[in-house]
Amino acid sequence: MNSESTRRNILRTMAGTTLAGMLLGTASSTAAASTTAEELWRETSSDPYEYGVSVVDGVAYVGKLGLAMGFDVESGERVMRSAPGDDLSSTSAPAKLVDGTYYYEGSSTFVALDPDDGSAIAEYTTSDSDAFDTFFDAGYADGEMYVTGTGGPETNVLAAIDIESGEERHLAEPGSLSEKPVVVGDTVYVGANNRDPVYLYAFDRDSGEERWRAEGTDSFGLDSAPAVVGDTVYACGQSRTDTFGWIAALDVADGSESWRHELDGRPSIDPTVVDGVVYVGVQMGLGDDLFLALDAETGDVRWKYESQAERETGLSNEAAPTVADGVVYITDQNGTVVGLDAETGEETWEADVSETIESSPIVVDGVLYVTASSEPDGGTTDDGHVVAVDAAGDGSSRDSRVLQGTYNHHGGWSGDASAYADLLQEGPVDSDGGDSGDGGGDDDDDGGSSDDGSPGFGVIGGLAALFGTVEALRRRS
């Protein structure tokens, strides 16, 4: 543990305990005394943030409306700001850092930035592409981006783009695709939505061959990223014709369902899996939302948290949970982050952050980071906030969502999600990436960088640094 983490532990007052001895099973959580978190720092600026914070090498990175920014994790001082181009001026994008490069993804342009000073290293645009009219999202592995997007009217595309050369490999045109491909080993998993009963595809990463597809009924669609843990894929989705959803466990080999848990509402966002438990929020309407902990092997309910009954409000619609030190952190519609005991579902911790939270929290070295928004005095556009508060323990997020790079991540994610597909860590995750390896391959390198650690995107890479407006403050030495 570093000295700063030790300092925070000394300052942290651990009040409140959980009820002991509660049996696992189908049970509702009950209110318990909880610790109110200490706020460490807050950055406030105009315009709200849409995505959460990614924390790598002592910097909290976040993007909003054409800006990529970085803040010192100890002081909250801004150490990087970049406006990477006119094409991205109205685009918000999650902060993705792979092999020492910050990737900013827009619908027509992907830009690679130096995370130290925000300067543009390279770009790749739809005009450079033979496959895409519009980009959706990308996964990263072994020096390639695995990109989803549109290839024309009624056509969705999956393609691989070599980060250094810009060479593009067309992999598949399966019909409808969602926006969040997950790369694990030699397979790309991507959800489908809108047009047919298929809700999840598995493609060979090299050839693009379809390995399997999972189908539902009643035009089921998958709006969230799957979680891959061991030999199981966990995916949730919703019906296109009613208000109900589901979560299912599928075999990675053939896509067959091991179990399916029908929900009484729509899943709020991506499932989060760790330590044999699947966590998922359920939107019930009128604030009567549920947060469920399901047994990963059977789909049975271990406990449920009733948001309206406990806090008289619903869950945040766009915020996925994270898990650290035996605490599950969720967010509600009143701008509060709530910590639940992972074994019982009891409230043990809370942080009143702002009026609204629409991003997924993350914990790194005992500090929880989240973005939020509030109505400004006399203004017309909501203010955005990056907030750091003391978490309930001194560890880091170690759940599937963070370790597989969905929405936001820390240094334990290096692009390919394979390194943590088994989630075998018994201790704290190395949030600086020291144990992330190559993403589960057989080699000892990190499987994604060029010799000098910088991406290229072909000839474009040599010209990209000339565009955009970049304002940078050098990171502390």
Side-chain angles (χ1 to χ4, degrees), residues 26-29 244 261-269 278-294 301 303-310 313-317 319 321 330-333 340 345:
T26 304
S28 296
S29 64
F244 299 103
H261 186 97
E262 301 291 341
L263 304 172
D264 292 330
R266 293 187 174 185
S268 59
I269 207 163
V278 183
Y279 300 98
V280 62
V282 185
Q283 293 176 284
M284 306 286 289
L286 301 177
D288 294 328
D289 297 340
L290 293 176
F291 186 78
L292 299 177
L294 307 178
V301 178
W303 52 259
K304 63 182 179 181
Y305 174 84
E306 297 174 308
S307 178
Q308 181 67 27
E310 300 294 342
T313 188
L315 300 173
S316 296
N317 295 333
I330 64 174
T331 61
D332 69 23
Q333 294 178 8
L340 307 177

Side-chain angles (χ1 to χ4, degrees), residues 175-188:
S176 62
L177 291 176
S178 63
E179 299 184 3
K180 306 177 187 74
V182 175
V183 184
V184 176
D186 57 1
T187 304
V188 181

Side-chain angles (χ1 to χ4, degrees), residues 85-108:
D86 292 341
D87 289 345
L88 298 170
S89 61
S90 61
T91 299
S92 293
K96 296 183 179 180
L97 287 96
V98 182
D99 296 325
T101 301
Y102 184 131
Y103 292 93
Y104 198 104
E105 302 168 355
S107 61
S108 63

Side-chain angles (χ1 to χ4, degrees), residues 240-275:
R240 298 298 176 186
T241 60
D242 58 37
T243 60
F244 299 103
W246 45 265
I247 183 167
L250 303 95
D251 191 297
V252 296
D254 58 15
S256 59
E257 286 191 4
S258 304
W259 55 259
R260 174 181 287 223
H261 186 97
E262 301 291 341
L263 304 172
D264 292 330
R266 293 187 174 185
S268 59
I269 207 163
D270 310 53
T272 298
V273 186
V274 66
D275 296 332

Side-chain angles (χ1 to χ4, degrees), residues 59-274:
V59 178
Y61 293 98
V62 64
K64 70 169 182 179
L65 289 178
L67 294 175
M69 290 181 287
F71 302 93
D72 182 281
V73 296
E74 297 296 339
S75 66
E77 177 187 1
R78 194 180 73 197
V79 294
M80 189 273 279
R81 182 182 186 273
S82 174
D86 292 341
D87 289 345
L88 298 170
S89 61
S90 61
T91 299
S92 293
K96 296 183 179 180
L97 287 96
V98 182
D99 296 325
T101 301
Y102 184 131
Y103 292 93
Y104 198 104
E105 302 168 355
S107 61
S108 63
T109 305
F110 282 5
V111 178
L113 303 173
D114 185 318
D116 286 341
D117 61 13
S119 59
I121 301 170
E123 72 169 341
Y124 192 83
T125 71
T126 51
S127 62
D128 302 316
S129 171
D130 295 327
F132 292 103
D133 290 340
T134 303
F135 297 135
F136 288 163
D137 205 340
Y140 297 81
D142 295 335
E144 289 188 305
M145 299 188 300
Y146 293 83
V147 183
T148 57
T150 63
E154 305 299 316
T155 302
N156 285 178
V157 176
L158 173 66
I161 301 172
D162 186 280
I163 290 174
E164 184 174 359
S165 69
E167 181 181 354
E168 186 177 77
R169 293 189 297 116
H170 188 281
L171 295 178
E173 290 186 15
S176 62
L177 291 176
S178 63
E179 299 184 3
K180 306 177 187 74
V182 175
V183 184
V184 176
D186 57 1
T187 304
V188 181
Y189 302 91
V190 61
N193 58 24
N194 291 330
R195 288 197 292 271
D196 51 42
V198 178
Y199 66 87
L200 183 64
Y201 292 99
F203 297 104
D204 185 280
R205 203 178 92 181
D206 294 324
S207 68
E209 177 185 359
E210 182 182 311
R211 291 184 166 172
W212 51 260
R213 61 175 63 185
E215 297 188 3
T217 57
D218 188 27
S219 299
F220 278 138
L222 186 70
D223 285 333
S224 59
V228 185
V229 181
D231 58 2
T232 304
V233 184
Y234 299 90
C236 60
Q238 61 191 39
S239 169
R240 298 298 176 186
T241 60
D242 58 37
T243 60
F244 299 103
W246 45 265
I247 183 167
L250 303 95
D251 191 297
V252 296
D254 58 15
S256 59
E257 286 191 4
S258 304
W259 55 259
R260 174 181 287 223
H261 186 97
E262 301 291 341
L263 304 172
D264 292 330
R266 293 187 174 185
S268 59
I269 207 163
D270 310 53
T272 298
V273 186
V274 66

Side-chain angles (χ1 to χ4, degrees), residues 19 35 45 56 65 81 97 112 121 185 189 233 253 277 291 310 314 353 358 372-373 382 408 417 445 455 462 466:
L19 296 176
T35 299
S45 58
V56 178
L65 289 178
R81 182 182 186 273
L97 287 96
I121 301 170
Y189 302 91
V233 184
V277 183
F291 186 78
E310 300 294 342
V353 173
E358 297 292 355
S373 62
D382 284 355
N408 54 342
D445 59 38
L466 299 178

